[in-house]
Short mmCIF file of all heavy atoms in Angstrom, two decimals:
data_model
loop_
_atom_site.label_atom_id
_atom_site.label_comp_id
_atom_site.label_asym_id
_atom_site.label_seq_id
_atom_site.Cartn_x
_atom_site.Cartn_y
_atom_site.Cartn_z
N PHE A 103 79.60 -37.34 13.15
CA PHE A 103 80.12 -36.57 14.28
C PHE A 103 81.06 -37.43 15.13
O PHE A 103 82.06 -36.90 15.63
CB PHE A 103 78.79 -36.10 15.21
CG PHE A 103 79.22 -35.65 16.48
CD1 PHE A 103 80.16 -34.64 16.72
CD2 PHE A 103 78.74 -36.30 17.60
CE1 PHE A 103 80.48 -34.15 17.89
CE2 PHE A 103 79.13 -35.89 18.92
CZ PHE A 103 79.90 -34.83 19.08
N ARG A 130 85.51 -27.95 12.54
CA ARG A 130 84.64 -28.27 13.75
C ARG A 130 83.15 -28.51 13.36
O ARG A 130 82.69 -27.88 12.57
CB ARG A 130 84.72 -27.03 14.64
CG ARG A 130 85.95 -27.10 15.58
CD ARG A 130 85.73 -28.13 16.65
NE ARG A 130 86.79 -28.48 17.36
CZ ARG A 130 86.94 -29.41 18.31
NH1 ARG A 130 85.85 -30.11 18.57
NH2 ARG A 130 88.03 -29.73 18.79
N HIS A 131 82.60 -29.41 14.17
CA HIS A 131 81.17 -29.73 14.01
C HIS A 131 80.52 -29.06 15.27
O HIS A 131 81.25 -28.95 16.34
CB HIS A 131 81.02 -31.20 14.09
CG HIS A 131 79.65 -31.80 13.98
ND1 HIS A 131 78.73 -31.65 14.95
CD2 HIS A 131 78.97 -32.35 12.87
CE1 HIS A 131 77.56 -32.09 14.54
NE2 HIS A 131 77.75 -32.55 13.24
N VAL A 132 79.35 -28.59 15.17
CA VAL A 132 78.78 -27.91 16.35
C VAL A 132 78.74 -28.90 17.56
O VAL A 132 78.98 -28.47 18.73
CB VAL A 132 77.32 -27.28 16.01
CG1 VAL A 132 76.37 -28.52 15.77
CG2 VAL A 132 76.92 -26.55 17.15
N GLY A 133 78.56 -30.17 17.28
CA GLY A 133 78.52 -31.13 18.35
C GLY A 133 79.86 -31.18 19.12
O GLY A 133 79.86 -31.47 20.24
N ASP A 134 80.99 -30.93 18.40
CA ASP A 134 82.30 -31.02 19.08
C ASP A 134 82.38 -30.05 20.15
O ASP A 134 83.11 -30.30 21.17
CB ASP A 134 83.39 -30.72 18.00
CG ASP A 134 83.62 -31.81 17.00
OD1 ASP A 134 83.19 -32.91 17.31
OD2 ASP A 134 84.04 -31.44 15.91
N PHE A 135 81.72 -28.83 20.03
CA PHE A 135 81.86 -27.81 21.03
C PHE A 135 81.22 -28.37 22.34
O PHE A 135 81.73 -28.22 23.37
CB PHE A 135 81.21 -26.64 20.58
CG PHE A 135 81.14 -25.47 21.58
CD1 PHE A 135 82.52 -24.88 21.88
CD2 PHE A 135 80.08 -25.00 22.15
CE1 PHE A 135 82.57 -23.90 22.81
CE2 PHE A 135 80.16 -24.04 23.21
CZ PHE A 135 81.36 -23.52 23.49
N ILE A 136 80.03 -28.86 22.26
CA ILE A 136 79.31 -29.42 23.31
C ILE A 136 80.09 -30.56 24.03
O ILE A 136 80.36 -30.61 25.22
CB ILE A 136 77.98 -29.93 22.92
CG1 ILE A 136 77.12 -28.77 22.35
CG2 ILE A 136 77.05 -30.55 24.01
CD1 ILE A 136 75.90 -29.07 21.53
N TRP A 137 80.64 -31.44 23.18
CA TRP A 137 81.40 -32.53 23.63
C TRP A 137 82.70 -32.01 24.36
O TRP A 137 83.04 -32.58 25.43
CB TRP A 137 81.93 -33.34 22.37
CG TRP A 137 82.70 -34.61 22.60
CD1 TRP A 137 84.07 -34.64 22.99
CD2 TRP A 137 82.21 -35.88 22.66
NE1 TRP A 137 84.36 -36.00 23.09
CE2 TRP A 137 83.40 -36.79 22.90
CE3 TRP A 137 80.90 -36.52 22.33
CZ2 TRP A 137 83.13 -38.16 22.98
CZ3 TRP A 137 80.89 -37.82 22.45
CH2 TRP A 137 81.99 -38.62 22.67
N GLY A 138 83.22 -31.03 23.90
CA GLY A 138 84.33 -30.38 24.57
C GLY A 138 84.11 -29.71 25.89
O GLY A 138 84.97 -29.53 26.75
N LEU A 139 82.88 -29.45 26.24
CA LEU A 139 82.50 -29.02 27.56
C LEU A 139 82.37 -30.16 28.59
O LEU A 139 82.38 -29.78 29.85
CB LEU A 139 81.10 -28.27 27.42
CG LEU A 139 80.99 -27.03 26.57
CD1 LEU A 139 79.64 -26.50 26.43
CD2 LEU A 139 82.07 -26.00 27.04
N LEU A 140 82.28 -31.40 28.10
CA LEU A 140 82.15 -32.45 29.03
C LEU A 140 83.53 -32.84 29.55
O LEU A 140 84.48 -32.81 28.82
CB LEU A 140 81.41 -33.65 28.39
CG LEU A 140 80.02 -33.38 27.81
CD1 LEU A 140 79.65 -34.54 26.90
CD2 LEU A 140 79.02 -33.03 28.88
N GLU A 144 88.57 -36.07 24.47
CA GLU A 144 87.93 -35.67 23.18
C GLU A 144 88.61 -36.35 22.04
O GLU A 144 89.88 -36.33 22.08
CB GLU A 144 87.99 -34.14 23.08
CG GLU A 144 87.31 -33.65 21.93
CD GLU A 144 87.63 -32.18 21.74
OE1 GLU A 144 88.54 -31.70 22.33
OE2 GLU A 144 86.89 -31.56 20.95
N VAL A 164 89.09 -24.82 19.04
CA VAL A 164 87.87 -24.22 19.79
C VAL A 164 87.87 -24.63 21.16
O VAL A 164 87.60 -23.75 21.96
CB VAL A 164 86.63 -24.78 19.01
CG1 VAL A 164 85.46 -24.24 19.76
CG2 VAL A 164 86.53 -24.19 17.58
N THR A 165 88.03 -25.85 21.42
CA THR A 165 87.72 -26.23 22.80
C THR A 165 88.90 -26.26 23.81
O THR A 165 90.06 -26.10 23.31
CB THR A 165 87.12 -27.75 22.90
OG1 THR A 165 88.13 -28.68 22.44
CG2 THR A 165 86.01 -27.90 21.97
N ILE A 166 88.59 -26.44 25.05
CA ILE A 166 89.74 -26.37 26.01
C ILE A 166 90.78 -27.45 25.70
O ILE A 166 92.00 -27.15 25.81
CB ILE A 166 89.17 -26.78 27.46
CG1 ILE A 166 88.02 -25.96 27.75
CG2 ILE A 166 90.33 -26.69 28.53
CD1 ILE A 166 88.30 -24.45 28.11
#
Side-chain angles (χ1 to χ4, degrees):
F103 167 57
R130 275 283 167 185
H131 182 285
V132 65
D134 290 334
F135 178 69
I136 297 162
W137 185 279
L139 297 176
L140 302 171
E144 186 189 17
V164 175
T165 67
I166 304 294

